[in-house]
Amino acid sequence: MYLSQLKLWNFRKFGGGADIFTDQKGIRSPDLDVGFQNGLNVLIGENDSGKTAVIDAIKLVLKTHSTEWIRVTFEDFYENTRRMRMECIFEDLIDEEAKHFIEWLGMEGAGDSANPYLRLILDIQHNGDRILPFEVRAGVDDVGYILTAEAREYLKTTYLKPLRDAQQELIPKRNSRLSQILEGHEVFKGDQEKHKLKLISQCFNCLIQKYFNRDHSECGEKECELKDKFFKQDSKKDDEEKIRIDINN
């Protein structure tokens, strides 16, 4: 499935200043309606044109796998409005994906050509003193039904912040952008204790240790140059410290 449409009402700079719901026609037209295609999508615009607002709205509805804390503030409401709304619509759900959202799905079209879609709704209000509790809902009507925690887990996405220092920020460490990308890849899923890459790293460690322990006299060198770089000797001790190189699993 893919995100095909994002609709915003009274979110940050995208606002109409009017109530979201009208007595005669229900919910009014959105203040921003963005369509996406299946694949790569690029947002282009000047500074303060609303690109970040689009991304943040998606993050608020879907949540992310990263450890960042996403919260709503009074500044997120357009001007003096007290209610804002976001909708994310997903299309092209395969059976494996659709089975997790059966009770919230809608159908577009009829007969054999009918296709399921998922409509997520985040409606947030404040009373002037505090922001009222809210939940992500889903359904074909304007109100929807609350999503279960299990269903929300399937919607979480990976968000990578803009790279300011690519060399530093792509270092493979805990919660790095690189680790977040790899975490979602199929090859890294499954039993971590028996993962093929872990076994390969263990074999590599073993080969490294054998390399440093070998007799280098056969190649005419007293000691391997690489060993010299990693070898350390404590002048207070007679025994040399052992060399150990580990590849982190």
Side-chain angles (χ1 to χ4, degrees):
M1 66 181 182
Y2 75 98
L3 176 62
S4 63
Q5 198 170 16
L6 171 69
K7 298 181 180 181
L8 301 179
W9 289 261
N10 291 340
F11 180 62
R12 296 187 185 170
K13 69 181 302 173
F14 301 111
D19 191 3
I20 293 174
F21 287 90
T22 61
D23 294 334
Q24 295 82 11
K25 299 181 180 180
I27 192 167
R28 65 175 174 82
S29 299
D31 300 306
L32 180 70
D33 192 342
V34 183
F36 299 100
Q37 64 179 5
N38 189 0
L40 177 66
N41 293 269
V42 180
L43 298 177
I44 301 176
E46 299 178 354
N47 290 340
D48 198 33
S49 62
K51 302 187 300 297
T52 300
V54 170
I55 298 300
D56 286 350
I58 296 173
K59 288 163 58 181
L60 281 169
V61 177
L62 301 184
K63 306 302 181 186
T64 69
H65 289 294
S66 58
T67 56
E68 63 179 336
W69 182 36
I70 306 173
R71 66 188 184 94
V72 177
T73 66
F74 288 102
E75 288 72 26
D76 289 326
F77 292 83
Y78 175 75
E79 294 184 351
N80 296 321
T81 59
R82 295 198 173 192
R83 186 173 192 173
M84 64 179 174
R85 181 183 176 95
M86 309 160 197
E87 289 185 10
C88 289
I89 299 176
F90 287 86
E91 298 180 2
D92 283 358
L93 284 80
I94 61 175
D95 292 344
E96 184 65 25
E97 296 165 335
K99 71 179 184 180
H100 302 296
F101 309 102
I102 292 295
E103 58 190 288
W104 300 282
L105 290 179
M107 297 298 293
E108 187 175 31
D112 296 336
S113 61
N115 295 308
Y117 69 90
L118 178 64
R119 179 192 189 192
L120 304 178
I121 304 165
L122 187 58
D123 199 307
I124 308 173
Q125 302 180 60
H126 74 86
N127 59 11
D129 296 322
R130 66 186 183 92
I131 296 173
L132 304 180
F134 58 88
E135 291 280 356
V136 177
R137 307 171 76 92
V140 297
D141 57 40
D142 291 336
V143 178
Y145 300 90
I146 295 177
L147 282 170
T148 62
E150 181 181 6
R152 291 200 304 271
E153 282 296 314
Y154 288 106
L155 293 170
K156 280 188 176 180
T157 186
T158 297
Y159 170 68
L160 304 178
K161 295 179 180 178
L163 292 177
R164 307 302 180 190
D165 183 345
Q167 184 175 1
Q168 176 65 29
E169 295 181 9
L170 284 176
I171 292 176
K173 55 188 178 183
R174 182 178 178 83
N175 295 326
S176 71
R177 287 155 177 72
L178 184 60
S179 67
Q180 292 171 18
I181 294 173
L182 297 179
E183 182 182 12
H185 198 287
E186 289 295 329
V187 75
F188 292 96
K189 296 179 180 179
D191 188 349
Q192 296 301 313
E193 291 302 317
K194 298 180 180 179
H195 199 285
K196 187 175 181 180
L197 287 177
K198 184 171 183 179
L199 298 177
I200 291 174
S201 68
Q202 292 172 347
C203 291
F204 184 73
N205 284 331
C206 181
L207 291 174
I208 287 291
Q209 292 173 16
K210 287 182 178 179
Y211 178 78
F212 283 127
N213 291 331
R214 64 178 286 196
D215 182 4
H216 291 276
S217 60
E218 62 186 43
C219 61
E221 297 290 342
K222 292 183 179 179
E223 284 187 340
C224 157
E225 292 183 2
L226 185 61
K227 182 176 180 180
D228 290 338
K229 293 181 181 180
F230 290 97
F231 182 77
K232 296 180 180 179
Q233 183 174 1
D234 191 335
S235 58
K236 297 181 180 179
K237 297 180 180 179
D238 293 332
D239 296 331
E240 297 177 343
E241 295 181 355
K242 290 185 177 180
I243 299 167
R244 181 174 179 82
I245 296 179
D246 281 326
I247 304 300
N248 292 329
N249 296 320

